[in-house]
Amino acid sequence: MDTVVVVGAGPGIGRAVAARFAAEGAAVALIARTAATVEDVARSLPGRTLTLTADVADEEGLRAALDHASAELGPPDVVVHNTAVIRPDTVGELSAGQLLDTLAVNVVSVLSTAAQVAPGMAARGRGTFLVTGGMPEPVPGYVSLSLGKAAVRTAVDLLDATYGPAGVHVASVTVGGPVAPGTAYDPDDIAEHYWRLHSQPRGSWEREVRHG
């Protein structure tokens, strides 16, 4: 039975991904910033679910939550990073401090999560580390998100080069539009990409899948 950790387990993609893996019998750990969010998602899932809270911009708190998940459920087979600050902003609209705070969530937390879990996966010779991407093209009205998602693609490339040779499948799912049930960006449809990436044999690994 796989153990899956979803970082950023909100009501959209996070919930859908957790449900998709739970349907395959996986033990699931959910991490979100507030207890209300993570508990609401957990109520919709079958099977064993561990709920944890952490602000991904707080590296110490994030690493502690990941350690807690491993202690309770065992080393993770799959870790999904699904956090982002999504808001419209233009060039110069955010202060330097606000932009750095946004990048701490959208980019730095990807590396913090990977640094905590990927070495163990590499030592075991297997594991899947998946990141929710977006903004396939930069949009002037979403400067911080465009910068963040471009950096996420680079981070995935770097993590693949670092841990891929040891057996860790690192990949991103790039979502090209607003997520909403019943649309072309239905979270349940998007979640299928995560399951498929995890299920791919090593010789067929993809580094990026685009939805929309």
Side-chain angles (χ1 to χ4, degrees):
M1 178 177 69
D2 284 335
T3 295
V4 181
V5 179
V6 180
V7 179
I13 292 174
R15 182 212 61 81
V17 170
R20 183 65 183 88
F21 280 87
E24 298 293 335
V28 177
L30 306 173
I31 300 175
R33 190 169 58 86
T34 68
T37 296
V38 75
E39 288 166 6
D40 185 60
V41 172
R43 281 192 291 268
S44 70
L45 302 180
R48 183 182 182 186
T49 304
L50 176 67
T51 60
L52 301 164
T53 59
D55 182 343
V56 298
D58 172 9
E59 182 181 6
E60 183 177 343
L62 174 59
R63 286 177 178 262
L66 292 166
D67 279 346
H68 189 168
S70 294
E72 290 288 329
L73 302 180
D77 301 289
V78 186
V79 174
V80 175
H81 185 282
N82 178 61
T83 70
V85 176
I86 300 174
R87 65 181 176 195
D89 52 64
T90 57
V91 172
E93 181 177 344
L94 299 183
S95 68
Q98 289 172 318
L99 183 57
L100 289 171
D101 287 344
T102 300
L103 293 177
V105 174
N106 293 1
V107 182
V108 178
S109 67
V110 175
L111 296 176
S112 297
T113 302
Q116 189 70 8
V117 301
M121 290 178 172
R124 296 188 297 275
R126 59 184 178 83
T128 305
F129 187 87
L130 304 175
V131 184
T132 301
M135 309 299 289
E137 301 295 335
V139 176
Y142 285 84
V143 169
S144 64
L145 190 62
S146 295
L147 289 171
K149 292 305 184 182
V152 161
R153 283 190 287 277
T154 298
V156 168
D157 288 345
L158 292 169
L159 293 171
D160 173 65
T162 302
Y163 299 109
V168 182
H169 186 186
V170 182
S172 63
V173 177
T174 298
V175 182
V179 176
T183 70
Y185 298 96
D186 190 297
D188 291 337
D189 294 336
I190 295 169
E192 289 294 330
H193 297 303
Y194 295 78
W195 173 253
R196 186 173 63 80
L197 285 166
H198 173 57
S199 303
Q200 286 177 341
R202 184 168 181 173
S204 301
W205 281 356
E206 295 174 87
R207 191 181 302 168
E208 180 183 20
V209 172
R210 294 198 176 194
H211 186 96

